[in-house]
Amino acid sequence: MTKVDVHVAEPFSASRRRILDALARSDAGETVSEFHIVFPDWTTLASVMTPSRLALLRHLHAHPRSNVADLARGLERDDNGVNDDVAALMAAGLIDRDDFGLSATYGEIRASIAL
């Protein structure tokens, strides 16, 4: 199962350490496949990851390659609202779009929140 690691209020030094560690492992011959998203603060994460957007991600994970109209029907929501949610989640890096439609291929989102 692939996962997304979400970091909230992570200091630059921690991001740098994580990146350098991944580079060192790659240089040593390890296949490194990680996906990290960093939010500057809790408020920003909370504005992106609303309950309705989490439901949308779960639905999209179960029904990949959907389009906005399919998502709206499956979620029993308005197309415009779903379109706005898809745009916000794409901007955050949580939804991919290609020639076949939309997808959220990871199976887990793990959050790390610095205090």
Side-chain angles (χ1 to χ4, degrees), residues 31-58:
T31 300
V32 179
S33 179
E34 300 176 0
F35 188 63
H36 299 266
I37 298 174
V38 179
F39 288 94
D41 52 47
W42 174 259
T43 303
T44 305
L45 171 62
S47 72
V48 171
M49 189 56 72
T50 64
S52 62
R53 289 178 180 165
L54 182 57
L56 186 153
L57 285 174
R58 286 182 171 140

Side-chain angles (χ1 to χ4, degrees), residues 56-110:
L56 186 153
L57 285 174
R58 286 182 171 140
H59 183 82
L60 186 57
H61 178 72
H63 304 93
R65 306 300 182 205
S66 296
N67 59 41
V68 171
D70 292 339
L71 284 172
R73 272 191 303 279
L75 295 166
E76 299 179 355
R77 291 185 48 205
D78 174 73
D79 283 13
N80 291 331
V82 171
N83 190 56
D84 292 344
D85 287 348
V86 165
L89 293 167
M90 284 181 62
L94 291 165
I95 290 180
D96 293 319
R97 174 179 271 151
D98 60 22
D99 293 339
F100 301 104
L102 303 167
S103 62
T105 57
Y106 47 87
E108 178 182 4
I109 299 174
R110 296 187 323 177

